[in-house]
Amino acid sequence: MNPKYKHATVYQIYPRSFADSDGDGVGDIRGIISKLDYLAELGVDVIWLSPVYKSPNDDNGYDISDYRDIQPEFGTMADFDELLAEAKARGISIIMDLVINHTSDEHEWFKKALAGEEKYKNYYIIKKGKNGKLPNNWGNFFADCPWEPFGDPKNEEYFLHLFSKKQPDLNWYNPEVYREICDIMRFWLDKGVAGFRCDVINVIHKKSFEDGKRQLVLTGREHYLSTDGTHRILSSLRRDVIDKYDAFTVGETVMVDIPMARDLCDESRRELDMVFAFEHMECDQIAVKWFKTKFKPKKLMKTLTKWQTGLNWNTLYFENHDQPRSVTRFTKGGEYRAVGAKMLLGLLFTLRGTTFIYQGEEIGMTNGAFDSLDEIMDIESHNVDKMAKSMGIINPFRWNLIKKTSRDNARTPMQWTDGEGAGFTSGTPWLKLHPNHKTVNVRRDLSNPDGVIAFFKKVNAYKKSSEVLKEGSFKELCAEGDVYAFERELDGERLTVVASFSDKTRALPEGIEGECIISNYEGVGEKLRPYEFRLIKPKLGAN
Ligand code: ISL
């Protein structure tokens, strides 16, 4: 693990929705530059920048048509260079999103493949149909079919796309693809970026194209999840590129279990520094993420403990651009929105691991206020609607499903002020603004000494100053009902954390006493108030 980034506070920016400098309704790089002082003030060390590369935008930049150019609506390469320099001047590093499972179908490689150039056909996964049918029975991440006819239909050739049909999967058996991606990585590292968040990195290598075992979703995944081939590619990328720059990588690893995660970031194998696991994000769903069920705190707490004790080093996150907002998912919101947001942030800074914050989480932004599918832009949500329709699910039910799960819930424009356009844009925002920006916004929160941001800063600064929080071991003390408590310990020094997931008063778990150092409430009562969070220095001899 690269020690430079182990204890960093990482802040994810989804450029489209962060800050718009030119009034076209879409966030951009100059907008980000204008907010760097704010990020420095929060105590952010690293920015993870979601894709800013040239893209036809079928999946908001995760479909890249030129890895060495900037999406014009985000600005120019000169803007990017300035962002990097300005961030550096404030002690902030930038990691890029590395999307190398697939390109856009508008990438020149795919265009040349379509034009019949064998060299480039071999950059993608193109297979013959089987007896007039598709090459295999696999599923697709976006509720679609993963095979699309390639070129002239009479050739009966199909290309694989695990995501949208505008995102053809790359052929990682081809050493040319490996060389191209190494060059792209060097291009950005030479500019001075600190590393990469590697998109769906544990599915890039497919070990066979046989039919898969029938599953509710993603039939066929046993053929590509964390294969030996992927391990080999990752260690080569590390040796040939990452290590030469002292860079840092965090892998987005879908459907990963603990043994897989251990292998992917095992120090001796030298593959990734750390991984994003998903299991704790599944605690309010039935079987698939599109079927949400009532949130059960115990399931979340038990899953957190399972990963804290099962994996030596975790990424700590509750939000990103693919997940609904945590304050909506894991608390009742309403009058408890701010206190709940603080409690969740408290956990992100006191569990063992590297803290990742998603834009807006620091003010407790909530799920979007969408009224119908017409207001949703996310391709995944539209595909899910089509799929549900084909299954005979009628509309109020379909919308109910999508409203809660759509990735657009996290993509509504950042709420900077209570003004028109929420201080995000002077034009018409690309995605509906949440009307609660009138009260939930950065300016207002900053002016409140008890605001969510003030709490964020306090707990972030505390973590930076505390070896116990940074390096200490983890031990669960309580995960009963809706109260979570754990201990962090280093060389005999201990800290205890208590967090309530209840909107009612709760008893403090037995045996927990000491001086409360940080809390999301005034004063310390005998009982835990709704969503109360406490960081406690235990009395000597207690516990
Ligand atoms: O949203 C999801 C998790 O709940 C997944 O289905 C998601 O698509 C998966 O985590 C992969 O995500 C990444 O790759 C996608 C892109 O759409 C996502 O935005 C990105 O984070 C394809 O590049």
Side-chain angles (χ1 to χ4, degrees):
M1 158 119 41
N2 191 329
K4 275 205 290 197
Y5 304 101
K6 188 176 181 193
H7 300 302
T9 297
V10 188
Y11 186 97
Q12 183 193 353
I13 292 183
Y14 194 66
R16 236 186 146 61
S17 305
F18 190 62
D20 172 21
S21 72
D22 58 7
D24 66 356
V26 173
D28 48 44
I29 294 175
R30 304 215 68 82
I32 301 174
I33 297 174
S34 73
K35 301 297 180 188
L36 286 172
D37 285 335
Y38 166 70
L39 297 178
E41 194 188 322
L42 288 180
V44 166
D45 306 299
V46 175
I47 292 171
W48 150 22
L49 198 59
S50 274
V52 289
Y53 316 95
K54 204 160 197 178
S55 161
N57 248 338
D58 190 52
D59 185 22
N60 287 356
Y62 283 86
D63 47 323
I64 300 171
S65 53
D66 187 344
Y67 288 87
R68 291 185 177 82
D69 205 353
I70 300 289
Q71 172 74 348
E73 58 190 347
F74 290 161
T76 62
M77 193 58 89
D79 294 332
F80 180 85
D81 293 339
E82 192 177 324
L83 169 64
L84 209 54
E86 288 295 324
K88 191 169 171 210
R90 292 163 178 81
I92 299 175
S93 311
I94 295 187
I95 62 170
M96 304 291 278
D97 222 304
L98 187 69
V99 188
I100 56 176
N101 176 66
H102 43 265
T103 68
S104 160
D105 66 343
E106 295 184 34
H107 193 287
E108 63 161 5
W109 301 335
F110 197 76
K111 287 195 204 155
K112 287 182 178 166
L114 273 178
E117 282 190 46
E118 279 308 316
K119 169 175 164 155
Y120 290 101
K121 262 181 95 173
N122 198 27
Y123 274 38
Y124 294 92
I125 300 172
I126 296 161
K127 300 273 173 210
K128 275 262 180 228
K130 265 205 254 159
N131 316 321
K133 296 213 202 95
L134 299 174
N136 64 26
N137 69 347
W138 291 8
N140 166 287
F141 280 77
F142 286 167
D144 199 355
C145 166
W147 295 104
E148 190 66 15
F150 178 80
D152 190 341
K154 76 171 185 298
N155 294 339
E156 282 189 65
E157 283 184 325
Y158 297 85
F159 68 90
L160 178 73
H161 61 94
L162 288 182
F163 294 86
S164 117
K165 50 170 77 64
K166 285 184 68 63
Q167 291 168 305
D169 280 42
L170 282 166
N171 172 17
W172 278 93
Y173 283 94
N174 181 352
E176 282 288 319
V177 167
Y178 178 78
R179 271 195 291 277
E180 297 266 16
I181 299 296
C182 287
D183 282 350
I184 288 164
M185 291 167 76
R186 288 188 197 106
F187 174 86
W188 292 99
L189 291 164
D190 282 338
K191 279 189 174 288
V193 310
F196 301 98
R197 173 267 188 188
C198 310
D199 192 62
V200 289
I201 200 67
N202 62 331
V203 309
I204 59 173
H205 178 267
K206 286 80 182 168
K207 71 173 175 226
S208 94
F209 294 90
E210 301 290 298
D211 276 351
K213 193 170 90 218
R214 282 253 160 240
Q215 313 258 8
L216 197 54
V217 283
L218 293 172
T219 293
R221 63 196 191 214
E222 66 277 23
H223 296 304
Y224 55 76
L225 267 191
S226 304
T227 61
D228 287 344
T230 291
H231 286 297
R232 273 195 305 276
I233 295 163
L234 286 175
S235 61
S236 304
L237 288 176
R238 176 86 173 241
R239 185 195 58 227
D240 294 344
V241 185
I242 296 293
D243 279 349
K244 302 244 172 359
Y245 293 83
D246 191 21
F248 155 80
T249 53
V250 49
E252 187 212 22
T253 48
V254 287
M255 291 174 285
V256 72
D257 59 21
I258 288 177
M260 282 179 194
R262 276 195 199 134
D263 283 350
L264 288 162
C265 45
D266 180 330
E267 295 277 344
S268 65
R269 297 171 64 119
R270 304 201 56 68
E271 296 181 15
L272 295 164
D273 285 299
M274 49 188 92
V275 296
F276 289 120
F278 281 73
E279 200 178 337
H280 69 297
M281 289 283 105
E282 290 160 8
C283 60
D284 57 351
Q285 74 185 35
I286 314 169
V288 290
K289 66 173 227 172
W290 305 306
F291 296 109
K292 286 268 174 269
T293 174
K294 195 171 174 304
F295 165 58
K296 294 184 195 70
K298 191 164 175 176
K299 210 164 158 195
L300 175 66
M301 300 182 308
K302 284 290 174 202
T303 310
L304 288 173
T305 295
K306 177 177 160 192
W307 281 80
Q308 286 282 302
T309 50
L311 186 67
N312 178 42
W313 196 256
N314 280 270
T315 56
L316 306 169
Y317 79 95
F318 290 143
E319 291 187 12
N320 59 43
H321 64 295
D322 292 333
Q323 299 288 340
R325 291 284 185 181
S326 59
V327 78
T328 309
R329 288 174 84 173
F330 304 147
T331 79
K332 285 238 163 79
E335 62 177 307
Y336 301 121
R337 183 195 60 82
V339 92
K342 290 177 194 170
M343 180 275 287
L344 293 168
L345 287 169
L347 290 176
L348 292 180
F349 283 102
T350 55
L351 287 160
R352 180 179 154 87
T354 304
T355 305
F356 286 78
I357 303 293
Y358 177 66
Q359 65 187 43
E361 200 172 358
E362 76 277 21
I363 53 167
M365 275 177 65
T366 60
N367 271 359
F370 302 109
D371 294 319
S372 73
L373 190 65
D374 300 340
E375 289 175 346
I376 300 276
M377 302 293 166
D378 180 18
I379 177 167
E380 184 190 68
S381 304
H382 284 273
N383 284 354
V384 169
D385 184 67
K386 274 188 224 139
M387 179 193 67
K389 199 170 179 179
S390 73
M391 288 161 67
I393 302 180
I394 54 166
N395 201 9
F397 293 106
R398 293 207 306 273
W399 172 238
N400 192 35
L401 203 107
I402 289 163
K403 189 179 160 69
K404 288 193 197 128
T405 58
S406 176
R407 305 189 297 181
D408 279 357
N409 279 308
R411 300 174 180 183
T412 60
M414 182 73 184
Q415 297 169 194
W416 296 103
T417 69
D418 62 0
E420 210 172 315
F424 163 73
T425 183
S426 56
T428 308
W430 73 277
L431 184 66
K432 187 180 176 184
L433 258 178
H434 200 304
N436 73 5
H437 73 270
K438 293 276 167 216
T439 50
V440 181
N441 62 67
V442 171
R443 186 188 284 161
R444 180 173 164 144
D445 196 279
L446 268 178
S447 70
N448 176 1
D450 284 328
V452 185
I453 294 175
F455 181 86
F456 177 104
K457 285 198 215 162
K458 204 191 296 174
V459 70
N460 186 15
Y462 193 87
K463 176 175 178 179
K464 287 184 200 291
S465 72
S466 164
E467 286 306 308
V468 181
L469 285 188
K470 286 197 285 196
E471 290 291 346
S473 61
F474 168 95
K475 185 169 103 194
E476 180 186 284
L477 300 177
C478 168
E480 284 314 312
D482 30 33
V483 176
Y484 196 32
F486 54 86
E487 180 185 89
R488 305 289 313 277
E489 190 267 336
L490 184 72
D491 299 332
E493 215 188 300
R494 284 171 302 140
L495 286 170
T496 305
V497 173
V498 187
S500 167
F501 280 90
S502 173
D503 60 337
K504 311 271 174 337
T505 315
R506 288 284 180 255
L508 207 56
E510 230 165 89
I512 292 183
E513 41 187 318
E515 180 203 348
C516 177
I517 322 172
I518 294 180
S519 159
N520 52 352
Y521 276 95
E522 268 294 307
V524 183
E526 205 175 296
K527 295 205 161 188
L528 290 171
R529 287 155 284 187
Y531 302 107
E532 183 158 350
F533 171 89
R534 290 186 198 173
L535 175 65
I536 298 167
K537 208 174 218 143
K539 268 194 190 150
L540 276 181
N543 276 331

